[in-house]
Amino acid sequence: MSGWPVDLKRRGLMGAGLLAASSALVGAKGALGQGDQVSGHQGHNSAAADTSAHVNAHGEMITVGDVDSANNGFDPTAMLTEWDTGEVSYLPDGRKLRTFQVTAEDKEIEIAPGVKFPAWTFNGRVPGPALRVTEGERVRIVFKNFGSHPHSMHFHGFHAARMDGIPGAGLVAPGEEFTYEFDARPYGCHLYHCHALPLARHIHKGMYGLFVIDPDPARHPEMAEAAKSRLLGTPENARWQEMAMVMNAFDTNFDGENEFYACNTIAHCYAKKPIKVVRSRPVRIYLVNVTEFDPINSFHLHGNFFDYYDQGTTLTPTLKTVDIIMQCQAQRGILEFTFAEQSDHEPGLYMFHAHQSEFTELGWMGMFDVVEALS
Ligand SMILES: [Cu+2]
């Protein structure tokens, strides 16, 4: 931290409105509240006027301009529904084996318009691929380190000590590879991350991702319907609008404090491009917090309430009818809600964000665009 001018610290940056021109943060009022902030939304007639007013009201909080997703090689909107289910084969005992290929590589990414971050990535993206398997399957991850530092994959779940991804148990030197293997248990919403030292730096650089284990309905006959609704590929699951969200943040000047916050890496991405939600279909969010340097993060939904499954390891909610949950680092869970049941849920924009206001202003805020049907 020492050696950095105080104005480059995030609070000085926000308070003084500095760097408005050279970085992406909005400090100058003249640049704010423009209708083209939501240019992708102009065709949405019923909410267009409201949208403009809403953005005007909040415009001073959001970044100006667009991140080049093509150059990054990943798009936060696509990321919401991109599940990596690996390659399926069968073991001699007939059990399903899912094999994943994961690489580590150094890669500069753009996290806010014009703001580059020297990330360490899994499969070239931050967060890494959202790996999804079914309870009881064998999971095999072939991990190759093309990066400049030793890295690993540490999975939250049941596994042997030698598969732990800590130094001495699957830490991989540059140019080397290691195969992690274990059974997928327990079902839930988990994560994986690099466990190389120093830990905070390796995680903060971008080495993490969702690891979802769907429940096997045959193992939960008393809750088979709930289990089927969670199992990717079933008709019961297909009616849900499922999304993968990773709350993260970036310390762009390496002073041990975050300058930008986001859900799926890009500051304010879902504020500028609201997430379409069909009103008649329920929503399920797999959410994990991997924010380093701040003890907690949170998710708050406007105009609605949700049920929450802490860690996703139960088929009944651990919290019912709440509109905010908080997660410490590595905590995760499943949110379920619908806009179909309340008559006052007309189509339109419903904000979601961290309820740490500073995180919101620095990038962790988005919108659901509730529509009657996809156009
Ligand atoms: Cu690492």
Side-chain angles (χ1 to χ4, degrees), residues 120 150-152 194 196 202 207:
W120 296 340
H151 296 301
S152 74
C194 176
H202 280 254
M207 305 196 79

Side-chain angles (χ1 to χ4, degrees), residues 104 120-122 143 145 149-153 171-172 193-199 201-203 205-207:
W120 296 340
T121 69
F122 287 123
F143 175 56
N145 183 2
H149 292 69
H151 296 301
S152 74
M153 297 184 76
L171 184 70
V172 183
H193 60 86
C194 176
H195 217 299
L197 303 176
L199 193 54
R201 182 55 67 204
H202 280 254
I203 294 177
K205 283 283 232 171
M207 305 196 79

Side-chain angles (χ1 to χ4, degrees), residues 51-368:
T51 301
S52 180
H54 205 113
V55 170
N56 280 338
H58 295 274
E60 292 194 23
M61 294 183 185
I62 74 172
T63 55
V64 169
D66 289 310
V67 165
D68 186 345
S69 295
N71 193 48
N72 271 348
F74 58 88
D75 176 345
T77 295
M79 262 179 176
L80 291 169
T81 52
E82 277 177 1
W83 298 102
D84 185 344
T85 53
E87 192 173 307
V88 173
S89 59
Y90 291 88
L91 297 167
D93 66 3
R95 271 204 305 155
K96 203 175 269 188
L97 169 70
R98 282 193 196 269
T99 303
F100 297 88
Q101 309 288 337
V102 179
T103 59
E105 60 182 279
D106 301 2
K107 182 176 177 179
E108 185 177 78
I109 60 172
E110 188 180 7
I111 58 163
V115 179
K116 302 291 177 63
F117 181 77
W120 296 340
T121 69
F122 287 123
N123 285 1
R125 43 174 277 174
V126 179
L131 308 180
R132 190 153 173 182
V133 304
T134 302
E135 179 185 15
E137 294 174 341
R138 192 73 171 167
V139 181
R140 182 178 290 166
I141 297 107
V142 181
F143 175 56
K144 296 177 180 167
N145 183 2
F146 298 130
S148 58
H149 292 69
H151 296 301
S152 74
M153 297 184 76
H154 165 71
F155 284 84
H156 286 230
F158 293 125
H159 54 250
R162 63 195 162 79
M163 293 294 159
D164 204 33
I166 61 170
L171 184 70
V172 183
E176 303 291 316
E177 72 174 80
F178 185 83
T179 299
Y180 304 94
E181 193 166 321
F182 47 82
D183 290 341
R185 292 183 307 131
Y187 71 82
C189 176
H190 307 310
L191 78 153
Y192 63 89
H193 60 86
C194 176
H195 217 299
L197 303 176
L199 193 54
R201 182 55 67 204
H202 280 254
I203 294 177
H204 167 260
K205 283 283 232 171
M207 305 196 79
Y208 44 75
L210 268 170
F211 174 48
V212 172
I213 303 178
D214 290 337
D216 174 4
R219 296 173 185 231
H220 309 283
E222 74 292 352
M223 291 290 292
E225 285 306 305
K228 283 182 203 164
S229 90
R230 295 255 293 262
L231 179 58
L232 193 65
T234 65
E236 292 86 349
N237 177 262
R239 63 184 289 269
W240 286 79
Q241 300 173 94
E242 291 195 327
M243 300 171 197
M245 292 192 181
V246 175
M247 300 191 289
N248 54 0
F250 297 91
D251 171 12
T252 54
N253 58 8
F254 302 100
D255 66 349
E257 289 188 348
N258 295 309
E259 278 70 49
F260 290 92
Y261 294 78
C263 180
N264 290 341
T265 300
I266 310 302
H268 293 133
C269 54
Y270 304 126
K272 295 176 186 173
K273 191 173 179 187
I275 300 169
K276 295 270 189 200
V277 164
V278 177
R279 187 170 175 269
S280 60
R281 295 175 59 201
V283 177
R284 176 181 289 133
I285 296 173
Y286 295 85
L287 181 75
V288 60
N289 174 30
V290 292
T291 306
E292 276 297 331
F293 309 127
D294 290 282
I296 58 165
N297 205 329
S298 61
F299 185 107
H300 167 55
L301 176 62
H302 282 208
N304 208 342
F305 285 75
F306 52 86
D307 287 348
Y308 185 64
Y309 302 70
D310 187 19
Q311 325 267 336
T313 47
T314 59
L315 292 170
T316 51
T318 50
L319 285 173
K320 283 188 73 73
T321 322
V322 296
D323 68 1
I324 183 167
I325 54 99
M326 72 174 181
Q327 294 182 338
C328 68
Q329 286 150 340
Q331 198 168 354
R332 67 279 182 187
I334 299 171
L335 288 69
E336 291 181 353
F337 54 94
T338 178
F339 288 93
E341 289 175 359
Q342 304 298 326
S343 58
D344 41 7
H345 278 154
E346 74 265 24
L349 294 174
Y350 294 85
M351 185 183 277
F352 61 96
H353 59 91
H355 219 295
Q356 286 89 339
S357 307
E358 184 182 39
F359 297 4
T360 305
E361 293 170 357
L362 292 170
W364 180 181
M365 186 271 281
M367 298 276 188
F368 291 114

